[in-house]
Amino acid sequence: MLPKRPACAGMKKESTIIETRSAFIAIVGKPNVGKSSLLNALTGHKIAIVTNRPQTTRTRITGVLTQEETQYVFIDTPGLLKARNKLGEKMVKTVRESVADVDAAVLVVEPTGEVNPAELDLIEGFKSNRMPAVLAINKIDILQNKELLIERIAKFQDLYEFSAVVPISALERDGIDALLGELSKFAIESPHYFPDDAVTDQHERVLAAEMVREKLLLNLREEIPHGTAVTVETMKEKKGILHVDAVIYCERENHKGMIIGKGGSMLKKIASEARAELEDFFQIQVHLQCWVKVKEDWRNREGILRNLGY
Ligand SMILES: Nc1nc2c(ncn2[C@@H]2O[C@H](COP(=O)(O)OP(=O)(O)OP(=O)(O)O)[C@@H](O)[C@H]2O)c(=O)[nH]1
Ligand SMILES: [Mg+2]
């Protein structure tokens, strides 16, 4: 569940009332359109992992941005897709709940192509929740013919009365301020739910596990990384070094072999890339150890899913 807004409004400082505002915004769309890239661009931090593979994000990820009196709480969601297992069902549920609970949604779409069934489904959700929504046309940096954009926008506007349409490039941080300007209109008077310097409510161990999972997605082929999950068992700082122990779960013995690679080469590559990312994020030297374990068909096993945080 999303955090509930505190009941009282405003903060008293000396004799003047400072009117603080907050806006809870869900970022939704089909897989791979750049929702997590947008979350990172909006907050200015790499909170959510990003890969070129659909279904990278599995859970609701909260990003926070405070600009003077206004606090934005962004909820990045998994790309909406037909569920093929219990994990997929949970991901779909996450998207539906996220859209029901916020002040507004951003529908992220690609700059070309037809309206996708997942997008139609999300728009139906906006209609039934009477949810204000902004259409963000992402990846405009790769659009050759800008005239196509007008056609694309018209197709979406035929389907829903979007509060605004903003062309953006999450990758190049283009249009992000314009998008924020539109989103600020949904902020309502309320105390800030998070400290003003917060960027996420994710636990450090979860962030670290996700960084390892990103490298699995980037280095392994086809279905294998989609059948992996990562947990960080220990994370301890000792004498200026952050020691991290991560366990990579996969579905089959032969997948384990591929994750480890010849003479351990693949696991070494994954761990070394993840370590660099961890060092960059936590700004400390990191010692990362990764183990690989098999948990057959975990994506369909409720108890395991819960233990893995899904
Ligand atoms: N050219 C370009 N690529 C982008 C842009 N935004 C995101 N991408 C790329 O699109 C791919 C998917 O980005 P993500 O942010 O992981 O997409 P997502 O919508 O969160 O994907 P799921 O979590 O799988 O639903 C990555 O390769 C990004 O680098 C953009 O503005 N321009
Ligand atoms: Mg994502």
Side-chain angles (χ1 to χ4, degrees), residues 130-261:
R130 294 171 183 244
M131 178 62 59
V134 171
L135 181 68
I137 318 252
N138 191 29
K139 307 194 186 182
I140 52 156
D141 54 296
I142 52 165
L143 190 66
Q144 305 286 342
N145 182 356
K146 303 279 178 209
E147 272 171 30
L148 291 177
L149 207 54
I150 297 164
E151 262 176 55
R152 179 88 167 135
I153 291 170
K155 279 185 203 162
F156 278 98
Q157 279 178 327
D158 279 347
L159 295 168
Y160 194 63
E161 206 174 311
F162 287 95
S163 312
V165 178
V166 189
I168 60 164
S169 166
L171 198 67
E172 298 187 347
R173 290 202 94 264
D174 194 11
I176 301 300
D177 291 336
L179 179 60
L180 269 175
E182 291 301 334
L183 299 178
S184 69
K185 297 174 188 167
F186 303 112
I188 57 172
E189 214 172 284
S190 98
H192 291 172
Y193 186 81
F194 293 94
D196 285 3
D197 59 354
V199 290
T200 183
D201 67 348
Q202 283 193 103
H203 196 285
E204 287 185 346
R205 283 191 196 203
V206 175
L207 284 165
E210 282 289 275
M211 287 178 207
V212 176
R213 199 167 64 80
E214 180 185 75
K215 304 310 172 198
L216 288 164
L217 280 161
L218 291 172
N219 282 290
L220 296 165
R221 279 197 254 157
E222 291 160 29
E223 189 55 15
I224 298 173
H226 290 298
T228 62
V230 181
T231 58
V232 164
E233 304 290 310
T234 52
M235 197 161 171
K236 256 190 287 190
E237 194 188 327
K238 228 195 295 176
K239 295 184 185 158
I241 298 175
L242 187 64
H243 294 265
V244 181
D245 291 314
V247 180
I248 298 165
Y249 293 98
C250 63
E251 291 184 313
R252 292 197 207 121
E253 208 55 52
N254 67 323
H255 290 182
K256 180 176 170 177
M258 283 187 257
I259 294 168
I260 294 171

Side-chain angles (χ1 to χ4, degrees), residues 30-37 49-57 76-79 138-139 141-142 168-172:
K30 69 172 188 165
N32 216 36
V33 291
K35 298 176 297 298
S36 300
S37 303
I49 61 167
V50 167
T51 80
N52 54 358
R53 314 194 44 154
Q55 304 252 278
T56 296
T57 307
D76 179 22
T77 60
N138 191 29
K139 307 194 186 182
D141 54 296
I142 52 165
I168 60 164
S169 166
L171 198 67
E172 298 187 347

Side-chain angles (χ1 to χ4, degrees), residues 21 27-28 31 46 48 72 93 97 110 131 161 198 209 256 263 293 309:
R21 303 162 72 77
I27 302 173
V28 297
K46 188 169 169 186
Y72 301 89
K93 193 164 165 250
E97 286 175 358
E110 295 204 317
M131 178 62 59
E161 206 174 311
K256 180 176 170 177
K293 289 186 186 170

Side-chain angles (χ1 to χ4, degrees), residues 260-280:
I260 294 171
K262 257 199 185 132
S265 57
M266 178 55 87
L267 190 60
K268 209 168 158 189
K269 183 168 188 279
I270 288 164
S272 136
E273 289 178 14
R275 179 178 49 77
E277 186 97 22
L278 285 162
E279 290 187 339
D280 194 45

Side-chain angles (χ1 to χ4, degrees), residues 5-13 16-22 69 188-193:
R5 271 205 173 80
C8 60
M11 252 170 26
K12 208 168 179 193
K13 190 182 174 190
T16 50
I17 303 274
I18 299 170
E19 281 182 2
T20 56
R21 303 162 72 77
S22 69
E69 74 278 8
I188 57 172
E189 214 172 284
S190 98
H192 291 172
Y193 186 81

